[in-house]
């Protein structure tokens, strides 16, 4: 049986390859633990001066978390949800705080947890054919794994839009919005990895990436910022919907009309955005808006991960996550030829209990992501928290 992670040292480069290509490298517990063990070993290994995180296979870096595993274990009566998310979030923090420089290369499909693995390291590369996204509200869940921390630091209200609408990003969007640092053509990724592994060439990883990087071009999402800011700055999802409807009809929202927007198709795009929201989980939408807004308030990455774990744990007790994931799995089967519309409960935004969501976000769990008993000295915890505060902000 193949290992879910290929780990090897080439020159002085530690190469970590996600190795579940048949599932577009979906993250399971075995993969998390293999990554964690190797990162711990390489942290003090003098033979390793830098680390490369990549995904094997042609289809993508990582399609996100393996929710099939969560559903299977939940059906068996195991409390796999909390363990899965807790271990994943600890791994994400380890990648963000690792003492060795880490370069991630995202190609093809890179969704949800895939962005979380690659998106918090020191140097993030995307291929020109990458497709990134936070698709969680589409299957009854919320952006997690530090996603709200990153989304909250995008320009204006774009992070709110991306999170609520499960919108996709291209390479240019990723760089403009702070999800990546450089674009390298897919045809030259092999040359880049060879250069990073070349021990004779002592240039820093940043310099090696620069040699292959190309201009990201214009961001299509950033071109929509004026009407996104006007509509998505509302306090509730229902108010966002109402603003989108008003704006798409040609009327003014936040001092802007569709005819005045920098986006020539603003009215059509706003209509499309509203229609998308109407098909997504109302509970997930309300919780996502709350979570992204909470991440704006000076949180460190670690603090965001703690809040996200509390919310993720609550969602494993709610029907929408299981309904949504089951629909997603069914839609991906070979025998199905039409989209599956999940039966969200509740089906209306007005019926979502905001009190329960706020309580879930604020109530500490018995087993948190970073308990004092984890074996991390308090001075190191303080240093890691400081590093989180000073980390790259979009």
């Amino acid at each position: 049986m193949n290992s879910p992670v290929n780990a090897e040292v080439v020159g002085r480069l530690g190469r970590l390859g996600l190795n579940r290509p048949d599932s577009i490298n979906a993250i399971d517990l075995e993969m998390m633990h293999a990554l964690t063990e190797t990162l711990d070993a390489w942290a003090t290994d003098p033979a390793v001066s830098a680390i490369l995180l990549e995904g094997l296979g042609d289809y993508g870096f990582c399609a996100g978390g393996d929710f099939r595993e969560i559903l299977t274990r939940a059906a068996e009566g195991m409390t796999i949800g909390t363990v899965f998310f807790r271990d994943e979030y600890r791994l994400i923090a380890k990648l963000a705080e690792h003492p060795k420089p880490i370069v991630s290369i995202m190609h093809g499909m890179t969704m949800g947890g895939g962005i979380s693995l690659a998106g918090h390291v020191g140097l993030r590369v995307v291929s020109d054919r990458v497709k990134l996204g936070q698709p969680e509200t589409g299957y009854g869940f919320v952006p997690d794994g530090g996603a709200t921390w990153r989304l909250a630091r995008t320009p204006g209200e774009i992070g709110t839009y991306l999170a609520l609408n499960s919108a996709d990003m291209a390479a240019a969007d990723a760089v403009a919005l702070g999800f990546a640092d450089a674009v390298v053509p897919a045809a030259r990724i092999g040359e880049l990895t060879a250069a990073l592994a070349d021990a004779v060439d002592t240039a820093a990883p940043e310099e090696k990436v620069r040699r292959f990087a190309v201009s990201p071009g214009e961001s299509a999402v950033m071109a929509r910022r004026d009407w996104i800011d006007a509509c998505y700055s509302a306090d509730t999802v229902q108010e966002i919907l109402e603003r989108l409807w008003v704006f798409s009809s040609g009327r003014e929202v936040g001092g802007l009309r569709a005819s005045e927007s920098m986006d020539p198709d603003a009215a059509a795009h706003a209509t499309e955005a509203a229609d998308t929201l109407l098909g997504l989980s109302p509970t997930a939408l309300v919780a996502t808006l709350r979570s992204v807004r909470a991440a704006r308030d000076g949180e460190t990455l670690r603090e965001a991960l703690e809040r996200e774990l509390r919310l993720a744990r609550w969602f494993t007790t709610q029907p929408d996550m299981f309904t949504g994931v089951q629909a997603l799995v069914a839609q991906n089967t070979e025998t199905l030829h039409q989209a599956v519309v999940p039966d969200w409960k509740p089906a209306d935004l007005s019926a979502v209990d905001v009190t329960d969501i706020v309580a879930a976000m604020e109530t500490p769990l018995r087993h948190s992501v970073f308990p004092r008993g984890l074996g991390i000295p308090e001075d190191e915890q303080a240093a890691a928290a400081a590093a989180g505060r000073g980390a790259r902000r979009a």
Side-chain angles (χ1 to χ4, degrees), residues 24-332:
I24 318 182
N25 299 316
I27 309 164
D28 62 5
L29 279 169
E30 187 180 4
M31 177 185 286
M32 292 178 209
H33 296 163
L35 287 168
T36 298
E37 291 171 7
T38 305
L39 287 167
D40 285 343
W42 286 350
T44 56
D45 187 345
V48 176
S49 60
I51 296 170
L52 172 63
L53 179 64
E54 56 190 335
L56 305 183
D58 296 330
Y59 293 106
F61 169 74
C62 176
D66 188 347
F67 284 98
R68 290 174 187 255
E69 178 178 37
I70 293 178
L71 290 179
T72 300
R73 300 295 180 87
E76 295 171 355
M78 300 176 66
T79 58
I80 193 67
T82 303
V83 173
F84 182 98
F85 295 119
R86 183 200 64 200
D87 289 2
E88 181 188 6
Y89 299 176
R90 288 178 180 174
L91 170 61
I92 290 162
K94 189 178 294 291
L95 285 161
E97 300 164 2
H98 203 273
K100 304 287 178 71
I102 299 179
V103 180
S104 63
I105 298 179
M106 294 172 269
H107 75 285
M109 189 74 70
T110 304
M111 296 287 160
I115 296 177
S116 294
L117 286 185
H120 297 290
V121 303
L123 185 55
R124 304 156 303 169
V125 175
V126 289
S127 83
D128 56 343
R129 300 177 187 172
V130 76
K131 179 181 179 182
L132 301 100
Q134 299 285 165
E136 289 84 359
T137 56
Y139 53 80
F141 192 52
V142 287
D144 68 321
T148 59
W149 189 88
R150 176 59 58 198
L151 289 161
R153 284 155 181 77
T154 58
E157 295 293 336
I158 288 181
T160 307
Y161 162 73
L162 292 173
L164 292 180
N165 284 71
S166 294
D168 292 335
M169 293 177 281
D173 303 316
V175 173
L177 302 178
F179 286 80
D181 303 299
V183 178
V184 173
R188 303 201 69 187
I189 293 294
E191 295 176 67
L192 171 59
T193 57
L196 290 169
D198 184 357
V200 176
D201 183 351
T202 58
E206 291 84 356
E207 167 59 24
K208 292 181 179 182
V209 169
R210 188 193 63 77
R211 297 171 190 167
F212 298 93
V214 297
S215 170
E218 297 296 322
S219 165
V221 176
M222 278 292 285
R224 304 178 184 184
R225 180 180 170 179
D226 55 6
W227 66 262
I228 288 175
D229 284 358
C231 295
Y232 284 78
S233 57
D235 292 332
T236 68
V237 178
Q238 185 60 49
E239 290 171 346
I240 290 172
L241 269 169
E242 290 168 359
R243 290 189 185 188
L244 288 168
W245 287 324
V246 169
F247 182 79
S248 63
S249 71
R251 288 176 287 168
E252 182 179 303
V253 172
L256 180 72
R257 295 179 185 273
S259 59
E260 303 163 344
S261 173
M262 296 297 291
D263 176 7
D265 299 312
H269 287 150
T271 299
E272 181 183 3
D275 290 344
T276 296
L277 290 176
L278 291 174
L280 303 175
S281 161
T283 301
L285 289 173
V286 173
T288 293
L289 182 60
R290 289 268 177 171
S291 192
V292 172
R293 294 281 164 82
R296 291 176 172 176
D297 299 330
E299 281 190 329
T300 65
L301 175 59
R302 281 192 168 214
E303 289 166 342
L305 289 168
E306 289 286 12
R307 175 179 42 75
E308 290 170 349
L309 179 65
R310 294 193 289 268
L311 198 51
R313 174 66 184 89
W314 182 76
F315 264 90
T316 64
T317 70
Q318 303 303 303
D320 275 11
M321 177 178 164
F322 293 92
T323 299
V325 174
Q326 287 170 343
L328 182 66
V329 170
Q331 192 166 313
N332 288 335

